[in-house]
Amino acid sequence: MVAKLEASERAAALRELSRWRETKGRDAIERSFKFRNFAEAWGFMSQVALLAEKQDHHPEWSNVWNRVDITLSTHDAGGLSQRDVTLAKAIDALAG
């Protein structure tokens, strides 16, 4: 089973993931991405989907036209885990 991050681990992760923020009312992190149009947003989602499949860890997300909102939390751990941090870093690398 995947372990939930301890408070010190969470703080360190959030320092590294400066564009992500804690989700209100949940043990999760989130980030919004904006693109020039729907096609770019959808292309980004396709790339993230491939990363998620490779890591066997899937985000919660939504897409409205040029915006993609992503929330990461590990259900098996009951909150934020290292799996979320790893996926967030990979998503950041894609987004540039």
Side-chain angles (χ1 to χ4, degrees), residues 67-84:
R67 194 181 80 232
V68 176
D69 298 319
I70 299 177
T71 301
L72 299 176
S73 184
T74 304
H75 298 112
D76 291 345
L80 200 62
S81 77
Q82 186 57 46
R83 295 183 82 187
D84 302 305

Side-chain angles (χ1 to χ4, degrees), residues 26-82:
R26 288 189 60 195
D27 190 10
I29 56 174
E30 60 188 27
R31 182 176 172 193
S32 292
F33 299 84
K34 277 198 154 181
F35 301 91
R36 289 184 294 189
N37 53 48
F38 178 75
E40 283 188 10
W42 191 264
F44 172 73
M45 289 179 72
S46 295
Q47 291 178 317
V48 171
L50 294 173
L51 282 174
E53 278 297 301
K54 191 179 222 180
Q55 294 183 20
D56 192 28
H57 189 57
H58 305 93
E60 298 172 29
W61 58 9
S62 66
N63 165 243
V64 177
W65 187 58
N66 70 335
R67 194 181 80 232
V68 176
D69 298 319
I70 299 177
T71 301
L72 299 176
S73 184
T74 304
H75 298 112
D76 291 345
L80 200 62
S81 77
Q82 186 57 46

Side-chain angles (χ1 to χ4, degrees), residues 15-27:
R15 281 192 299 274
E16 291 180 43
L17 299 169
S18 61
R19 295 179 183 170
W20 293 79
R21 65 184 181 277
E22 293 184 80
T23 303
K24 289 184 182 183
R26 288 189 60 195
D27 190 10

